[in-house]
Amino acid sequence: MAFTSKDVMELRQRTGVGMMDCKKALVATDGDMEAAIDFLREKGMATAAKKEARIAAEGIVFAASKNGKSVLLEVNCESDFVAGGPVFKEYVAQVADYILDNTNATVEDVIAAMQPVTNEYVMKMGEKLSIRRFTVYEANDTVVDTYIHMGGKIGVMVEATNGTSAEVIHDVALQIAAANAQYVTRDEVPQSEVDHEREILKAQAMNEDSNKPEAIIEKMLIGRINKFYKEVCLTEQVFVKNGDLTVAQYLKQNGDAKIIRFTRYAMGEGLQKREDDFVGEVMAQAHLNK
């Protein structure tokens, strides 16, 4: 599998490792991005890797509620100028309102139904508009809260057991926005993901000292897997508003609230840039060819 200087730059952005080491990793893995990340982590060069590629698309994450239903929605456009403007937000609000009135609709359904409105706003703003994704929660003996950070760069929607105070569930939404949990509890983490992480951590330990006895490595792995859970599981994370508590401890102190589920959108995650970064590509290629 061939790779380009853009791939090297993306790998560097996702791992924080130097350009030449990123290039070597892509060579060693035949251009496979995810395998290259694992390669660098096994070598101890990348301590962590972002799950998403560089955020480059423009647009906003938006939240709205109506008749006991809430929606978290991402709509993309071509420029940050349009994304920050009132006309684009007016359009996104109309999309959200349609979704709340048609909660069984798919993304494709919404795109089709909103096409006349979309065409109207494309004419107004002069940019392509894309309804990318949405999630709807319906409060049914539960409590739902939404939180939008940095004007639409990150959005979170959380559902908790009935009786959870507005302050507590909002604090949890802030936590998810800040610390990017992937799951509520460790029981939700797929075994395949745990096994994959274990393989990487074991390779790390062996690369640190190939003479370590197997029993010592296994003990090290227990601690490192627990650290992994503390990073990806909401209830095991350190509470951002009080570093002396975990989120689970905070919930227990406040009515023993239970978080049922959550959705977190980071605007543009996984999308490619609208325009090529020619200067960056030329500079990267110059460095790689030295």
Side-chain angles (χ1 to χ4, degrees):
M1 184 188 302
F3 64 89
T4 68
S5 59
K6 284 185 181 180
D7 297 318
V8 178
M9 292 170 70
E10 178 184 333
L11 183 59
R12 183 179 186 280
Q13 193 275 333
R14 292 180 68 179
T15 63
V17 175
M19 295 284 280
M20 288 308 300
D21 287 319
C22 286
K23 181 185 178 185
K24 290 176 183 177
L26 286 166
V27 169
T29 57
D30 196 26
D32 186 315
M33 182 66 65
E34 299 305 319
I37 291 171
D38 289 348
F39 177 89
L40 291 170
R41 292 190 65 203
E42 289 171 0
K43 297 293 184 184
M45 301 174 73
T47 56
K50 298 177 183 177
K51 288 186 177 291
E52 69 273 4
R54 182 175 179 179
I55 294 175
E58 299 302 336
I60 59 172
V61 178
F62 184 84
S65 298
K66 182 180 181 181
N67 298 328
K69 301 173 183 177
S70 298
V71 62
L72 189 67
L73 164 72
E74 179 183 353
V75 179
N76 300 118
C77 57
E78 295 184 66
S79 71
D80 57 354
F81 176 77
V82 164
V87 179
F88 179 65
K89 292 174 183 175
E90 178 183 283
Y91 165 71
V92 175
Q94 289 189 42
V95 176
D97 194 58
Y98 177 84
I99 294 169
L100 289 170
D101 286 337
N102 300 270
T103 52
N104 292 324
T106 65
V107 172
E108 291 74 19
D109 293 336
V110 175
I111 291 171
M114 293 294 296
Q115 197 61 56
V117 177
T118 301
N119 291 341
E120 175 189 340
Y121 278 88
V122 166
M123 292 294 292
K124 286 182 180 180
M125 292 179 281
E127 290 194 5
K128 177 182 177 181
L129 304 175
S130 176
I131 301 167
R132 186 186 182 201
R133 55 181 174 168
F134 64 84
T135 300
V136 176
Y137 287 177
E138 185 168 1
N140 185 13
D141 292 326
T142 58
V143 182
V144 175
D145 183 64
T146 60
Y147 169 66
I148 300 297
H149 184 61
M150 295 178 62
K153 295 299 184 184
I154 295 173
V156 175
M157 185 162 59
V158 185
E159 184 175 14
T161 50
N162 201 19
T164 302
S165 75
E167 180 182 0
V168 168
I169 193 171
H170 196 63
D171 279 346
V172 171
L174 293 174
Q175 173 80 28
I176 295 164
N180 194 15
Q182 305 296 311
Y183 308 96
V184 178
T185 66
R186 65 171 61 191
D187 293 338
E188 295 179 2
V189 184
Q191 188 58 46
S192 59
E193 186 172 337
V194 177
D195 292 342
H196 179 68
E197 189 70 16
R198 183 182 178 83
E199 289 176 10
I200 292 173
L201 295 173
K202 185 172 183 177
Q204 279 182 10
M206 293 179 69
N207 283 329
E208 290 167 6
D209 184 356
S210 59
N211 295 319
K212 276 193 181 79
E214 187 71 20
I216 297 297
I217 289 178
E218 288 302 316
K219 287 183 180 179
M220 291 173 61
L221 286 178
I222 293 172
R224 294 185 182 188
I225 287 292
N226 282 331
K227 182 180 178 183
F228 162 73
Y229 281 128
K230 290 176 181 177
E231 292 172 353
V232 302
C233 298
L234 173 65
T235 55
E236 300 194 28
Q237 289 181 340
V238 174
F239 183 39
V240 293
K241 295 181 74 171
N242 183 346
D244 294 329
L245 299 174
T246 64
V247 173
Q249 290 169 332
Y250 170 71
L251 292 173
K252 192 166 186 63
Q253 288 181 7
N254 289 272
D256 202 19
K258 298 291 190 299
I259 303 303
I260 298 169
R261 57 178 173 164
F262 66 84
T263 299
R264 181 187 189 273
Y265 288 163
M267 189 280 297
E269 58 192 350
L271 294 180
Q272 297 299 313
K273 286 196 288 187
R274 180 171 63 90
E275 297 178 353
D276 290 332
D277 181 3
F278 293 111
V279 174
E281 183 173 351
V282 170
M283 292 299 292
Q285 192 63 53
H287 283 297
L288 293 175
N289 289 335
K290 285 183 180 180

